[in-house]
């Protein structure tokens, strides 16, 4: 499948950017243009909301903290990632900056994928897709950096 077609498929599943909710097309394409057989990592920085912000379509979830909403996301994302071949090198509270400007983050997670197939396996997983909204509701802001050879 071509990079553009894969990006369009993922946008159809997760949306096209906007308010920290999902990668935009150009960001999906950065991952999809990597060598599909080589490993890469995603370095995630998360800042949680005090109270998770669910959309109207997720009515009935109730008032929960951003941290609790993220925990609900992690209950699905971690085992799904492991099942498709990925792993977390680290998931840890952020303890501040060592060099450079101080930034306010709650959690850092470094996810490792052995290849693009594992990455796509996570994002194509139906149970993962259905629970991704917890991540969106949980995060006030997030940054994800790609580390690849």
């Amino acid at each position: 499948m071509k990079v553009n077609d894969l990006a369009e498929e993922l946008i159809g599943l997760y949306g096209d950017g906007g308010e920290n909710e999902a990668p935009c097309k150009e960001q999906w394409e950065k991952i999809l243009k990597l060598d599909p057989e080589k490993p890469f990592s995603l370095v995630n920085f998360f800042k949680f909301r005090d109270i998770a912000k669910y959309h109207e379509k997720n009515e009935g979830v109730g008032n929960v903290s951003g941290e609790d909403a993220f925990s609900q996301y992690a209950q699905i994302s971690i085992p799904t990632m492991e099942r498709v071949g990925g792993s977390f090198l680290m998931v840890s509270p952020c303890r501040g900056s060592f060099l450079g400007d101080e930034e306010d983050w709650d959690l850092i997670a470094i996810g490792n994928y052995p290849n693009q197939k594992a990455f796509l396996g996570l994002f194509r997983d139906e149970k993962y897709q259905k629970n991704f909204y917890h991540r969106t509701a949980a995060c006030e802001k997030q940054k994800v950096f790609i580390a690849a050879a």
Side-chain angles (χ1 to χ4, degrees), residues 56-97:
E56 299 80 36
K57 68 181 179 180
N58 305 118
E59 204 173 297
V61 174
N63 284 337
V64 298
S65 70
E67 188 173 1
D68 287 344
F70 194 83
S71 179
Q72 291 179 46
Y73 162 77
Q75 288 176 17
I76 299 301
S77 66
I78 292 172
T80 303
M81 185 173 176
E82 291 170 351
R83 185 175 43 76
V84 299
S87 62
F88 281 98
L89 302 176
M90 175 183 276
V91 178
S92 174
C94 181
R95 302 291 186 207
S97 297

Side-chain angles (χ1 to χ4, degrees), residues 3-13 25 28-29 32:
V3 167
N4 188 53
D5 293 339
L6 284 171
E8 290 296 331
E9 174 191 336
L10 293 165
I11 286 168
L13 295 170
K25 183 177 182 181
W28 284 117
E29 287 176 345
L32 299 171

